[in-house]
Amino acid sequence: MASLLLLTLFLCFTFTSIPFFSPVYSEPAAKTYIFRVDSFSKPAVFPTHYHWYSSEFTEPVNILHVYDNVFHGFSASLSPSQAASVLQHPSILASFEDRRRQLHTTRSPQFLGLRNQKGLWSESDYGSDVIVGVLDTGIWPERRSFSDLNLGPVPTRWKGVCETGDKFTAQNCNRKIIGARFFSKGHEAAPGFGPIGGGINDTVEFRSPRDADGHGTHTASTAAGRHAFRASMSGYASGIAKGVAPKARLAVYKVCWKNSGCFDSDILAAFDAAVSDGVDVISISIGGGDGISSPYYLDPIAIGAYGAVSRGVFVSSSAGNDGPNGMSVTNLAPWLTTVGAGTIDRNFPAEVILGDGRKLSGVSLYAGKPLSGKMYPIVYPGKSGVLSASLCMENSLDPHLVRGKIVICDRGSNPRVAKGLVVSKAGGVGMILTNGVSNGEGLVGDAHLIPTCAIGANEGDAIKAYISKNPTASATLNFHGTVIGVKPAPVVASFSGRGPNGLNPEILKPDLIAPGVNILAAWTDAVGPTGLDLDNRKAEFNILSGTSMACPHVSGAAALLKSAHPDWSPAAIRSAMMTTASLVDNRLQPMTDEATGKPASPYDYGAGHLNLDLALDPGLVYDLANQDYVSFLCAIEYGPKTIQVITKSPVNCPMRKPLPENLNYPSIAALFSTASKGVSSKTFFRTVTNVGDANGVYRVKIEAPKGVTVSVKPAKLVFTEKVRKLSYYVTITVDSKNLVLNDSGAVFGSLSWVDGKHVVRSPIVVTQMSPL
């Protein structure tokens, strides 16, 4: 615990002016630390917490951010000994080092069930006046997607500002982009990025909310972009581009910087500002990027999100792009809505035609001069056994080997589009980008600079076998534009983060999936569609894939539901999405996993695929209040002081420890010990709130996992005008002799409440775990 720089103090004290810092000389390089302070210890003599913190310093110290809303404390650039001195102060509850995070990088609204003339768009007036805060790389405000034409006045409750800076003036905000801020102090103070590392690179970045990367412009327009006619990316995906909530207002919080990521201290400051400014929804497509999930009290995204949710702000987050590996889902806090990615019914087919006449299907967004059927020799540099050559890494290719040929490059390590640039520099005429076993058959379209076709692992093996047997092997590449009505769709994207939950498997994550593959949305003018420095093309729109693209779909959906149901809590909005989510594709068959082609499971898609046609009227919701989350934190054995790091306010855990699986979540995960032999049972408690017909009567429908018995009491729920909430018990019984877990180590079923109109469905996951 000490290695994580957490220090929790259990002493009661009377405040005395103990210095936060002692003079230290000849110190190592400073680092940025985030400190959680017991706000109730502030002496009344100080008007603000900032004055209090500043008064304690015995030497000049670089305070970066002061947090007042979602979190009480500050971040500062300190030497290790200064940080240790701060931790000795009795008002400090915890400290953690600043950490760098990564981004989780037209037709999709219709694919979600949204229609112009009826349903959620009309009921919510397209999300009018709901404020969506986007924590990302900023925005390119001139895009048509951010027009304020025919929008009403800025909501009077808005308290935010339009920060100006490099190439961003007050006129860049309007009735659509109602606020914009940027946060860079943590970034500039970080070792390697601060004064020693040079800070922000002004040759590629803007010290303002203006977007130099493109990611933020894309996510903002996905969530809330206006209708933009004749939209396309170099002719691909042509049509009308629009966000999920076209009339929602946007508040932009730039926390990520081109080529250098996003720092926790800046992210937490943006959460703090967004809540103070008055946003209704926060969209954050950012995660750890290292495959490790920190405990909630050491995770500023979880801490900031709790502060927002506790004030009624819905927070949508991306599930990460480390699938299809199990336990790869990120952003696990139960107050976050965690979103995985699925495909839509639109694709950009391309094909490899081999010299022996075989045609292998793939995808591409290449829009340059075609090969026009001309056959070229093909070569696989990885045949030599040199890994860097197989991956087409920088300076790894021998021009004598690849000049005038189509080059096979394996996916991985460096960006997909950068591989094509390496091939081009070495004299290659085209590229075949092959998946490995980890990516399976999951394909992503890219706006390549040279003729390129991406193919799955099986096709890649076939081409490599063809080359090994044919010294004169040849091929050409064909590109077929845009195809709509693709089946099956949705399919769980191979890269989408998967369960089980690595911190608390009692909570199923991801919560649901949404469109995240080949999504068309607005783009910056600062870089070309590949994002490479040498790509000088300009594109008003770009096509990207990732859970970063799925997250803003749910953010926009939350804006629509908030507009239609202003009294719904963040938990109620999430519940409405989860319990109405779809489990079938457009063939009316169970959703499949892109990586394997086999049926997907709740570890892949959570409750299912977002279906806004049904979420407007879910019938029943599973609601949660702040105290429910506190009880959950007590249940996972966080102490009161540790919980206060997250909740701001002091808490008391009950004498009888609650169970984490009894959090009133819209899914049920039953964990049984592998040490238990024979018959074992667990009972779960849930409460539903009627948001449909006042006199609704619901009966339970159970689909028990294979080898598992599920019983529910009562089996019928009768609501009246006076009785809007009812509770029930679920008992799950397993016999170790009959329980056969699948490849993911679990079996799956569901529990639904039905009244003839609504089906309120919750997934059930049953698994075994070894005792600690």
Side-chain angles (χ1 to χ4, degrees):
M1 191 69 74
S3 64
L4 295 173
L5 295 174
L6 174 70
L7 178 61
T8 306
L9 302 177
F10 295 90
L11 300 175
C12 296
F13 62 94
T14 301
F15 181 87
T16 57
S17 185
I18 303 174
F20 276 125
F21 299 99
S22 300
V24 181
Y25 305 97
S26 301
E27 287 293 345
K31 297 181 179 179
T32 297
Y33 298 86
I34 301 171
F35 294 95
R36 173 69 172 88
V37 180
D38 181 0
S39 61
F40 296 93
S41 299
K42 180 180 75 67
V45 67
F46 297 108
T48 68
H49 286 88
Y50 178 81
H51 288 89
W52 176 33
Y53 306 149
S54 299
S55 74
E56 299 300 308
F57 302 151
T58 59
E59 59 178 292
V61 174
N62 182 18
I63 296 181
L64 304 177
H65 299 292
V66 172
Y67 310 110
D68 290 320
N69 297 299
V70 301
F71 180 83
H72 273 303
F74 62 95
S75 57
S77 181
L78 308 171
S79 68
S81 64
Q82 286 177 315
S85 176
V86 174
L87 282 172
Q88 297 174 18
H89 196 287
S91 296
I92 300 296
L93 296 175
S95 172
F96 34 95
E97 281 190 36
D98 207 1
R99 187 163 64 121
R100 185 157 62 114
R101 307 277 182 148
Q102 298 294 340
L103 296 160
H104 286 154
T105 195
T106 61
R107 183 172 163 78
S108 45
Q110 289 95 321
F111 195 68
L112 295 176
L114 291 170
R115 303 290 183 268
N116 283 325
Q117 303 302 321
K118 61 181 181 179
L120 188 50
W121 258 350
S122 60
E123 290 289 331
S124 67
D125 190 22
Y126 297 85
S128 179
D129 289 351
V130 175
I131 303 170
V132 178
V134 181
L135 277 60
D136 214 294
T137 64
I139 197 164
W140 197 266
E142 291 82 7
R143 291 304 184 219
R144 290 182 291 157
S145 298
F146 309 124
S147 166
D148 65 355
L149 182 66
N150 296 325
L151 286 181
V154 174
T156 56
R157 69 182 186 283
W158 175 246
K159 296 179 289 185
V161 299
C162 186
E163 286 188 1
T164 60
D166 188 12
K167 292 183 170 55
F168 199 95
T169 70
Q171 284 67 45
N172 289 128
C173 293
N174 56 19
R175 297 190 304 275
K176 179 66 176 180
I177 305 172
I178 63 173
R181 297 179 185 265
F182 65 101
F183 301 83
S184 62
K185 292 178 180 177
H187 171 275
E188 296 192 83
F193 295 94
I196 297 176
I200 294 173
N201 184 347
D202 292 316
T203 65
V204 298
E205 255 294 0
F206 305 102
R207 292 177 185 267
S208 74
R210 185 168 289 278
D211 184 8
D213 179 271
H215 191 278
T217 299
H218 198 280
T219 56
S221 61
T222 299
R226 303 296 302 279
H227 289 68
F229 295 88
R230 296 183 300 280
S232 74
M233 197 287 292
S234 300
Y236 286 99
S238 59
I240 303 171
K242 50 191 170 296
V244 178
K247 285 189 179 181
R249 314 306 176 103
L250 282 167
V252 176
Y253 300 88
K254 181 175 178 178
V255 297
C256 301
W257 298 81
K258 185 175 173 63
N259 300 330
S260 55
C262 339
F263 284 85
D264 282 343
S265 56
D266 294 332
I267 293 171
L268 194 54
F271 268 112
D272 210 55
V275 171
S276 177
D277 290 345
V279 302
D280 302 299
V281 174
I282 289 176
S283 185
I284 178 166
S285 295
I286 300 169
D290 53 9
I292 300 174
S293 294
S294 299
Y296 308 129
Y297 58 83
L298 292 176
D299 181 356
I301 291 180
I303 293 169
Y306 181 90
V309 169
S310 68
R311 296 193 180 196
V313 178
F314 179 94
V315 182
S316 174
S317 60
S318 48
N321 297 336
D322 291 327
N325 299 320
M327 209 176 288
S328 55
V329 61
T330 64
N331 290 322
L332 302 175
W335 45 87
L336 282 167
T337 299
T338 308
V339 189
T343 65
I344 62 174
D345 62 344
R346 179 179 65 199
N347 202 7
F348 310 105
E351 64 185 0
V352 180
I353 302 177
L354 300 180
D356 62 8
R358 280 183 292 169
K359 297 181 179 181
L360 304 178
S361 297
V363 301
S364 183
L365 292 170
Y366 174 69
K369 184 179 179 180
L371 298 182
S372 301
K374 183 178 178 180
M375 304 297 289
Y376 290 88
I378 51 176
V379 62
Y380 176 46
K383 189 176 180 180
S384 65
V386 178
L387 179 62
S388 61
S390 70
L391 295 168
C392 297
M393 303 288 283
E394 188 71 29
N395 299 320
S396 68
L397 300 183
D398 180 358
H400 297 291
L401 178 67
V402 306
R403 184 175 291 116
K405 299 176 184 178
I406 294 175
V407 182
I408 297 173
C409 297
D410 291 334
R411 185 172 166 182
S413 295
N414 55 335
R416 298 181 298 271
V417 290
K419 297 175 188 290
L421 195 58
V422 173
V423 170
S424 179
K425 288 179 179 178
V429 298
M431 178 174 69
I432 299 171
L433 183 62
T434 63
N435 280 358
V437 174
S438 62
N439 301 114
E441 303 309 305
L443 299 178
V444 175
D446 293 301
H448 292 280
L449 290 164
I450 66 170
T452 298
C453 179
I455 59 175
N458 293 335
E459 289 85 348
D461 290 342
I463 292 180
K464 292 170 186 175
Y466 167 64
I467 291 177
S468 67
K469 297 176 182 177
N470 296 274
T472 59
S474 62
T476 191
L477 307 177
N478 284 347
F479 307 96
H480 299 295
T482 305
V483 174
I484 293 174
V486 172
K487 293 183 179 181
V491 170
V492 180
S494 63
F495 58 77
S496 186
R498 312 300 174 95
N501 182 328
L503 286 181
N504 297 107
E506 303 91 346
I507 306 298
L508 179 64
K509 291 285 182 176
D511 292 310
L512 74 168
I513 64 171
V517 177
N518 295 333
I519 303 302
L520 179 78
W523 191 243
T524 179
D525 243 3
V527 294
T530 64
L532 298 175
D533 292 339
L534 293 179
D535 185 356
N536 296 318
R537 295 174 294 176
K538 300 294 184 182
E540 183 183 6
F541 296 92
N542 200 3
I543 296 171
L544 298 182
S545 299
T547 55
S548 275
M549 285 63 251
C551 169
H553 279 89
V554 168
S555 306
L560 297 179
L561 290 171
K562 185 71 175 177
S563 181
H565 301 286
D567 58 331
W568 280 10
S569 69
I573 292 172
R574 175 178 59 193
S575 176
M577 295 184 197
M578 290 177 64
T579 61
T580 60
S582 175
L583 299 178
V584 298
D585 58 30
N586 52 6
R587 305 169 303 172
L588 301 182
Q589 298 294 316
M591 266 193 297
T592 56
D593 182 349
E594 187 181 41
T596 63
K598 297 178 181 179
S601 79
Y603 277 169
D604 306 316
Y605 54 63
H609 189 278
L610 179 63
N611 183 351
L612 287 177
D613 203 27
L614 298 176
L616 173 65
D617 180 19
L620 307 175
V621 295
Y622 293 84
D623 210 353
L624 286 161
N626 295 342
Q627 186 55 46
D628 296 307
Y629 293 123
V630 170
S631 295
F632 168 79
L633 296 172
C634 293
I636 62 174
E637 300 184 349
Y638 283 11
K641 289 290 185 181
T642 302
I643 295 174
Q644 191 181 347
V645 172
I646 301 167
T647 63
K648 294 199 308 176
S649 302
V651 300
N652 291 306
C653 290
M655 293 292 293
R656 183 178 179 182
K657 193 182 82 169
L659 298 174
E661 57 263 35
N662 279 341
L663 182 68
N664 198 40
Y665 220 71
S667 56
I668 295 173
L671 279 61
F672 291 91
S673 171
T674 55
S676 299
K677 303 300 180 183
V679 177
S680 302
S681 294
K682 280 200 170 187
T683 298
F684 303 80
F685 182 75
R686 292 291 188 271
T687 299
V688 287
T689 301
N690 183 19
V691 295
D693 298 334
N695 297 311
V697 177
Y698 289 80
R699 290 174 172 80
V700 72
K701 176 184 176 183
I702 298 171
E703 295 181 11
K706 187 175 181 180
V708 176
T709 301
V710 179
S711 63
V712 176
K713 291 184 180 181
K716 183 170 75 171
L717 300 176
V718 180
F719 295 93
T720 67
E721 291 187 2
K722 293 184 178 180
V723 179
R724 294 184 61 247
K725 291 189 177 184
L726 290 171
S727 300
Y728 64 92
Y729 291 92
V730 182
T731 300
I732 296 177
T733 304
V734 301
D735 187 336
S736 60
K737 294 182 296 183
N738 300 326
L739 184 62
V740 180
L741 304 180
N742 63 19
D743 292 342
S744 63
V747 288
F748 307 99
S750 66
L751 179 158
S752 301
W753 291 102
V754 297
D755 68 346
K757 177 182 179 183
H758 306 95
V759 178
V760 187
R761 184 184 179 280
S762 295
I764 295 175
V765 178
V766 177
T767 188
Q768 287 184 313
M769 299 190 70
S770 300
L772 297 177

